[in-house]
Amino acid sequence: MRAIGIVLAGGNSSRMKELSNKRAVAAMPIAGGYRSIDFVLSNMSNSHIQKVAVFTQYNAKSLNEHLNSSKWWDFGRKQGGLYVFTPTTTPENSYWYRGTADAMAQNLDFLKSSHEPYVVIASGDGVYKMDYAKVLEYHIAKKADITIVTSTVDERDDPSRFGVINTDADGRVTDFEEKPITTDGRQVSTGIYIIRRRQLIELIEKAAEEERHDFVTDILIRYKNVKKIYAYKMDTYWSNIASVDSYYNTNMDFLKKDVRDYFFRQYPDIYSKVEDLPPVKYNLGSNVKNSLVSSGCIINGSVENSILFKKVYVGNNCTIKNSIILNDVYIGDNTHIENCIVESRDTIRVNTSYVGENGQIKIVIEKNERYAL
């Protein structure tokens, strides 16, 4: 593919509450054995993009460790490769990334030293499959300056979390409102963009000169009536996980057979860093229904409509319903957990109960937790 990739994975989301206290949103565990960033990196690899840069910043330790080898996504090549850029203090600059445009401005050499004519920009907090080559074909056919991939959100999600877009009959963007207070629109930006590399360099340099730092507000919205910006409508599964409810719902979607088949069994595949762990052990007295249980888990109790990530221990007479248990959690005997997200490395004491009530998802973080990533 005649493009390089940029993955924006440096941001934080207050809507994630305590879940983003220890990790970047792009490092959030998904579907038992993945991280959020695995989906965009897999899409880049499957689209034959050979050179990809990941911009990290907030709580980047676990994300950087996850990306410590490019081989998992097949970027370990003589040509191209996976590049991870964190903010760097220099004699000319002492700022962290002040926005998405500033992140690209501080790493402009990556763009200037590349030779591919196009750039695919994508956020690291989306769960989806996409062939970016098809978007590029659309971009070229429309003779667009910038193409934005859009999706239609359902009633479960709040469109005001996103950029809401209106288009004309030809697909050209006529209005773009970033995170409106109220809106009736359902067509939103997925945070995936295609733009010619030289034009991106020009726009980023101009924004930097004017002390403008956000790619959406200072470039896309500012130039929507000047540049030819088109929308490419995505009609397959897409979810942004950057809120507690959307993170919970996205994981729970993987309990649906059609969603599991789409991501796990249909080509192309989604790749991730692999750990050498034993298979799940179901002891006498365990009872598991409609759940995803990952490698390294030991189950003694009852698990229903839940997702258990790696190395979770469930004690005797435990009941876990409609919950997400993150990596390396020890759950003591006679524990009841329902409608919860349990943080990684937690130790849940025996004879305790955690229940999210009135449709609210309860985040469980014990004070006796072990160090978590």
Side-chain angles (χ1 to χ4, degrees), residues 33 55 96 127 134 203 286 290 315:
F55 296 159
W96 277 40
V127 174
K134 293 182 179 179
L203 292 172
S286 63
N290 190 38

Side-chain angles (χ1 to χ4, degrees), residues 77-323:
R77 305 163 176 161
K78 288 184 178 179
Q79 294 182 341
L82 181 66
Y83 302 81
V84 180
F85 294 114
T86 55
T88 303
T89 300
T90 67
E92 295 80 24
N93 177 67
S94 59
Y95 293 107
W96 277 40
Y97 299 149
R98 291 167 288 178
T100 47
D102 187 49
M104 287 184 267
Q106 291 192 35
N107 296 285
L108 209 56
D109 285 346
F110 173 77
L111 289 169
K112 290 182 175 180
S113 63
S114 301
H115 303 286
E116 293 81 356
Y118 296 97
V119 182
V120 177
I121 303 170
S123 62
D125 55 8
V127 174
Y128 63 100
K129 280 185 178 182
M130 170 163 278
D131 184 354
Y132 298 126
K134 293 182 179 179
V135 188
L136 180 57
E137 290 174 3
Y138 174 88
H139 177 85
I140 294 171
K142 291 292 185 181
K143 298 180 180 179
D145 292 313
I146 304 171
T147 295
I148 304 171
V149 178
T150 65
S151 182
T152 302
V153 295
D154 59 26
E155 63 281 353
R156 293 187 312 174
D157 217 334
D158 179 10
S160 66
R161 292 201 299 123
F162 310 102
V164 179
I165 290 175
N166 291 320
T167 60
D168 61 18
D170 189 43
R172 184 166 178 173
V173 173
T174 57
D175 192 27
F176 190 154
E177 191 175 5
E178 177 70 355
K179 298 179 182 177
I181 297 175
T182 59
T183 180
D184 294 326
R186 287 285 168 181
Q187 185 181 3
V188 302
S189 169
T190 61
I192 305 165
Y193 318 102
I194 287 186
I195 183 172
R196 185 172 285 275
R197 181 177 59 87
R198 290 186 181 277
Q199 185 172 74
L200 178 61
I201 292 171
E202 292 174 3
L203 292 172
I204 292 297
E205 286 181 333
K206 186 173 181 180
E209 289 173 3
E210 299 174 347
E211 291 291 315
R212 298 177 183 270
H213 308 303
D214 187 77
F215 183 74
V216 173
T217 58
D218 295 328
I219 293 179
L220 295 181
I221 294 177
R222 189 175 184 221
Y223 287 93
K224 72 178 186 295
N225 296 322
V226 178
K227 302 293 185 181
K228 291 187 292 183
I229 303 179
Y230 278 80
Y232 177 95
K233 294 185 179 180
M234 187 178 184
D235 57 4
T236 52
Y237 184 96
W238 173 82
S239 180
N240 175 278
I241 65 160
S243 75
V244 171
D245 287 341
S246 63
Y247 175 71
Y248 177 87
N249 290 331
T250 300
N251 275 283
M252 288 301 167
D253 282 344
F254 281 86
L255 298 181
K256 302 173 183 176
K257 185 178 183 298
D258 58 336
V259 175
R260 286 199 308 275
D261 288 347
Y262 177 63
F263 282 103
F264 295 160
R265 296 180 179 176
Q266 294 180 23
Y267 181 84
D269 296 328
I270 302 297
Y271 315 109
S272 184
K273 183 178 180 179
V274 178
E275 295 183 53
D276 293 327
L277 293 171
V280 183
K281 183 179 181 182
Y282 299 97
N283 288 329
L284 186 66
S286 63
N287 183 21
V288 179
K289 298 179 181 178
N290 190 38
S291 298
L292 285 179
V293 183
S294 300
S295 302
C297 291
I298 299 175
I299 311 298
N300 296 285
S302 174
V303 179
E304 183 177 349
N305 298 327
S306 297
I307 297 179
L308 274 59
F309 286 80
K310 300 171 185 176
K311 297 187 289 185
V312 172
Y313 176 87
V314 179
N316 296 308
N317 300 317
C318 290
T319 300
I320 299 173
K321 288 185 178 180
N322 308 320
S323 294

Side-chain angles (χ1 to χ4, degrees), residues 333-356:
D333 297 345
N334 307 311
T335 297
H336 181 84
I337 298 174
E338 188 169 353
N339 302 329
C340 292
I341 300 173
V342 179
E343 181 58 282
S344 60
R345 306 306 198 275
D346 267 4
T347 299
I348 306 300
R349 296 180 178 88
V350 300
N351 303 316
T352 53
S353 178
Y354 300 92
V355 179

